[in-house]
Amino acid sequence: MSFLSTGVKTAINELSSQLDSPFFVYDLDTLNSHLAQLVAQTEVKLWYAVKANPLSKIIQCLDNAGFNFDVASKGELEQVLAQGVSSDRVLNTGPAKSPKQIKHFIERGVRTFVAESINQVRWLNEQAKLQNCQLQVLLRVQLRWPEGEKNPLGGDSLTPFGLGCTEWQALNITDYDALSFDGLHIFQWGNMLSTQKLSELWSQMIAPLSQLARDLNINLKILDLGGGLGIPYTQNDITLNWDDLITALAKIKKQAGVEELWMELGRYAVGECGHYAAPVVERKQNYGQQQVILSGGINHLLRPAVTSQDFPAALLRDSHTPTQAMSLYGPLCTALDSLGEHALPSDLNEHDWLVFSQCGAYGFSESMPYFLCHELAGEYVLEQNKLSCLRAAEDASYYLR
Ligand SMILES: Cc1ncc(COP(=O)(O)O)c(C=O)c1O
């Protein structure tokens, strides 16, 4: 399996011959055909978790495919609305919904919210009354499992995302007459690659969630399972099969007895469409190890440093020399700036470019571009085999004051 199609490779080759600093390319043709497959079912209502990639062109593809939008900040909301998406297709999740933010969201027409605390419920009710409207609210629940597995989304650890069933018992839904409590939201496991494991986790959630709904006197119309569908980051990882997932989700929907099953997909929706290309600055041998220094690293792609999971890397140029293990580093003065150890052709040198794939989600906007004042990476899209620039690389004077 290669993560780099011929079309994308040609486009990156073309750009790399004109540019000398790192850039992202998003393959919108591949994205559009993937999204068409995701929406061709009636079991799950799909939302796009904008945090995965808030780029205008990406949002437009999801909009055209018929996705709705899950936003977690004012910036994400404004970016979605700026693409012409109607506010009745927007849902607000996130642990830091201040009264000020809630007020802004309601003013902008958002009516569906996931409440992550009893304070949020109170503020949603107060702001809805002030603006004379009714809001649809899902309560976010955080469960504990006996096996105790860790995960970037928390897994079994304590996180600020929602409340436990015991804590939600303090909520009296009749105190909030501007809110319709239509369902529950639960999401604690990211980047899962097994349909069976996902099904087991979802299945175990049903009993405690149904019990909570009964305790709170909520008619459980909607169950929102968040995201968590993974994509392969190595040649050995499997790819989740969408039809199998839909079969599993249909069972969960039936078991839970809900009218609507919702998911907010980030990684699985857009992760595979993005690629990041960076020039090699130098290669050296150090303590017997081959080290390759690149002009971009975690300033443009932070994820390996926070998850210890690398993006797959390839040499852009064709080479038939045998591969050898090389450690890849970015330009920052911190040992955290490592993009992993990869098997790369042994003739790799300082005139080369490397391409990292599976960077369409949690890439550019999850990174730390300001540290050390290197350039911001450019962002390009490939659409109907035509490349266009959304933002060229910018040097630090673009943002330094
Ligand atoms: C509330 C919520 N929903 C959905 C997602 C998207 O998750 P994924 O990228 O695993 O699909 C996230 C990611 O953090 C999230 O916080």
Tab-separated table of all heavy atoms in Angstrom, residues 49 51 70 93 140 153 185 187 190-191 226-229 264-268 362, ligand 1:
chain	number	residue	atom	x	y	z
A	49	ALA	N	-16.360	17.220	12.304
A	49	ALA	CA	-15.676	17.867	13.432
A	49	ALA	C	-14.632	18.819	12.840
A	49	ALA	O	-13.539	18.398	12.443
A	49	ALA	CB	-15.026	16.829	14.333
A	51	LYS	N	-12.539	20.826	13.891
A	51	LYS	CA	-11.198	20.886	14.479
A	51	LYS	C	-10.196	20.034	13.696
A	51	LYS	O	-9.010	20.292	13.719
A	51	LYS	CB	-11.215	20.432	15.949
A	51	LYS	CG	-11.760	19.023	16.140
A	51	LYS	CD	-11.746	18.593	17.593
A	51	LYS	CE	-12.806	19.246	18.435
A	51	LYS	NZ	-14.193	18.799	18.137
A	70	ASP	N	-19.820	20.239	13.273
A	70	ASP	CA	-19.598	20.320	14.711
A	70	ASP	C	-18.471	21.320	14.943
A	70	ASP	O	-17.345	21.092	14.494
A	70	ASP	CB	-19.205	18.928	15.237
A	70	ASP	CG	-18.495	18.993	16.577
A	70	ASP	OD1	-18.881	19.843	17.402
A	70	ASP	OD2	-17.569	18.195	16.803
A	93	THR	N	-19.984	21.600	20.305
A	93	THR	CA	-19.455	20.781	21.398
A	93	THR	C	-18.233	21.514	21.965
A	93	THR	O	-17.766	22.479	21.359
A	93	THR	CB	-18.979	19.400	20.909
A	93	THR	OG1	-17.919	19.598	19.978
A	93	THR	CG2	-20.086	18.599	20.250
A	140	ARG	N	-23.385	15.596	27.532
A	140	ARG	CA	-22.199	14.760	27.289
A	140	ARG	C	-21.857	13.951	28.539
A	140	ARG	O	-21.693	14.508	29.632
A	140	ARG	CB	-21.006	15.623	26.882
A	140	ARG	CG	-19.815	14.771	26.503
A	140	ARG	CD	-18.845	15.496	25.655
A	140	ARG	NE	-17.748	14.648	25.254
A	140	ARG	CZ	-16.744	15.048	24.507
A	140	ARG	NH1	-16.703	16.286	24.070
A	140	ARG	NH2	-15.780	14.232	24.171
A	153	LEU	N	-8.154	10.821	23.636
A	153	LEU	CA	-9.436	11.433	23.968
A	153	LEU	C	-9.802	11.161	25.416
A	153	LEU	O	-10.891	11.467	25.844
A	153	LEU	CB	-10.530	10.900	23.033
A	153	LEU	CG	-10.995	11.841	21.928
A	153	LEU	CD1	-11.627	13.092	22.521
A	153	LEU	CD2	-9.862	12.244	21.012
A	185	HIS	N	-24.595	12.430	24.554
A	185	HIS	CA	-23.388	12.418	23.719
A	185	HIS	C	-22.302	11.702	24.492
A	185	HIS	O	-22.147	11.923	25.693
A	185	HIS	CB	-22.975	13.865	23.452
A	185	HIS	CG	-21.718	14.019	22.647
A	185	HIS	ND1	-20.460	13.705	23.141
A	185	HIS	CD2	-21.521	14.464	21.392
A	185	HIS	CE1	-19.559	13.953	22.205
A	185	HIS	NE2	-20.165	14.414	21.139
A	187	PHE	N	-18.098	10.271	23.890
A	187	PHE	CA	-16.964	10.076	22.995
A	187	PHE	C	-15.680	10.101	23.822
A	187	PHE	O	-15.289	11.136	24.333
A	187	PHE	CB	-16.951	11.177	21.938
A	187	PHE	CG	-15.733	11.155	21.054
A	187	PHE	CD1	-15.147	9.953	20.671
A	187	PHE	CD2	-15.172	12.329	20.581
A	187	PHE	CE1	-14.024	9.930	19.874
A	187	PHE	CE2	-14.043	12.317	19.778
A	187	PHE	CZ	-13.471	11.124	19.425
A	190	GLY	N	-10.213	7.804	20.700
A	190	GLY	CA	-9.834	8.321	19.386
A	190	GLY	C	-9.041	7.310	18.581
A	190	GLY	O	-8.416	6.395	19.140
A	191	ASN	N	-9.063	7.490	17.255
A	191	ASN	CA	-8.216	6.740	16.326
A	191	ASN	C	-8.282	5.217	16.518
A	191	ASN	O	-7.267	4.539	16.605
A	191	ASN	CB	-6.759	7.226	16.441
A	191	ASN	CG	-5.935	6.793	15.253
A	191	ASN	OD1	-6.479	6.566	14.167
A	191	ASN	ND2	-4.655	6.674	15.437
A	226	GLY	N	-19.950	10.772	18.812
A	226	GLY	CA	-18.729	11.536	18.570
A	226	GLY	C	-17.961	11.018	17.364
A	226	GLY	O	-18.553	10.656	16.336
A	227	GLY	N	-16.621	10.946	17.513
A	227	GLY	CA	-15.782	10.466	16.392
A	227	GLY	C	-15.085	9.183	16.788
A	227	GLY	O	-15.720	8.274	17.300
A	228	GLY	N	-13.779	9.152	16.574
A	228	GLY	CA	-13.000	8.017	17.046
A	228	GLY	C	-12.643	6.993	15.993
A	228	GLY	O	-11.908	6.052	16.278
A	229	LEU	N	-13.153	7.152	14.776
A	229	LEU	CA	-12.817	6.187	13.719
A	229	LEU	C	-11.414	6.499	13.212
A	229	LEU	O	-11.124	7.625	12.805
A	229	LEU	CB	-13.821	6.264	12.564
A	229	LEU	CG	-15.298	6.185	12.952
A	229	LEU	CD1	-16.169	6.134	11.694
A	229	LEU	CD2	-15.571	4.963	13.825
A	264	GLU	N	-19.765	12.715	14.826
A	264	GLU	CA	-19.015	13.870	14.308
A	264	GLU	C	-17.650	13.345	13.896
A	264	GLU	O	-16.815	13.079	14.746
A	264	GLU	CB	-18.803	14.940	15.378
A	264	GLU	CG	-20.027	15.359	16.141
A	264	GLU	CD	-19.887	15.026	17.633
A	264	GLU	OE1	-18.750	14.890	18.107
A	264	GLU	OE2	-20.933	14.892	18.290
A	265	LEU	N	-17.459	13.186	12.615
A	265	LEU	CA	-16.204	12.596	12.138
A	265	LEU	C	-15.172	13.666	11.811
A	265	LEU	O	-15.487	14.667	11.163
A	265	LEU	CB	-16.457	11.758	10.885
A	265	LEU	CG	-17.439	10.598	11.025
A	265	LEU	CD1	-17.490	9.807	9.728
A	265	LEU	CD2	-17.029	9.692	12.187
A	266	GLY	N	-13.954	13.425	12.246
A	266	GLY	CA	-12.840	14.298	11.898
A	266	GLY	C	-11.839	13.518	11.065
A	266	GLY	O	-11.855	13.526	9.833
A	267	ARG	N	-11.033	12.739	11.779
A	267	ARG	CA	-9.933	12.006	11.141
A	267	ARG	C	-10.398	11.108	9.988
A	267	ARG	O	-9.825	11.118	8.899
A	267	ARG	CB	-9.250	11.141	12.209
A	267	ARG	CG	-7.971	10.478	11.784
A	267	ARG	CD	-7.505	9.487	12.858
A	267	ARG	NE	-7.701	9.975	14.192
A	267	ARG	CZ	-6.811	10.729	14.857
A	267	ARG	NH1	-5.673	11.027	14.294
A	267	ARG	NH2	-7.071	11.157	16.074
A	268	TYR	N	-11.448	10.328	10.238
A	268	TYR	CA	-11.884	9.356	9.226
A	268	TYR	C	-12.448	10.063	7.988
A	268	TYR	O	-12.393	9.537	6.880
A	268	TYR	CB	-12.941	8.430	9.834
A	268	TYR	CG	-13.293	7.227	9.001
A	268	TYR	CD1	-12.389	6.181	8.839
A	268	TYR	CD2	-14.539	7.126	8.381
A	268	TYR	CE1	-12.714	5.068	8.077
A	268	TYR	CE2	-14.868	6.016	7.624
A	268	TYR	CZ	-13.946	4.986	7.475
A	268	TYR	OH	-14.276	3.890	6.724
A	362	TYR	N	-5.787	16.984	11.835
A	362	TYR	CA	-4.875	17.250	12.945
A	362	TYR	C	-3.448	17.486	12.438
A	362	TYR	O	-2.481	16.965	12.976
A	362	TYR	CB	-4.945	16.114	13.991
A	362	TYR	CG	-6.388	15.833	14.383
A	362	TYR	CD1	-7.006	14.614	14.095
A	362	TYR	CD2	-7.159	16.826	14.970
A	362	TYR	CE1	-8.339	14.382	14.415
A	362	TYR	CE2	-8.498	16.603	15.287
A	362	TYR	CZ	-9.075	15.377	15.014
A	362	TYR	OH	-10.397	15.161	15.319
B	1	LIG	C1	-16.591	16.282	20.473
B	1	LIG	C2	-15.767	15.709	19.385
B	1	LIG	N1	-16.387	15.100	18.357
B	1	LIG	C3	-15.697	14.580	17.316
B	1	LIG	C4	-14.311	14.664	17.271
B	1	LIG	C5	-13.605	14.086	16.071
B	1	LIG	O1	-12.939	12.955	16.389
B	1	LIG	P1	-12.228	12.067	15.254
B	1	LIG	O2	-11.223	12.919	14.608
B	1	LIG	O3	-11.675	10.937	16.029
B	1	LIG	O4	-13.301	11.642	14.299
B	1	LIG	C6	-13.620	15.257	18.334
B	1	LIG	C7	-12.153	15.281	18.336
B	1	LIG	O5	-11.492	15.625	19.267
B	1	LIG	C8	-14.360	15.806	19.422
B	1	LIG	O6	-13.745	16.406	20.434
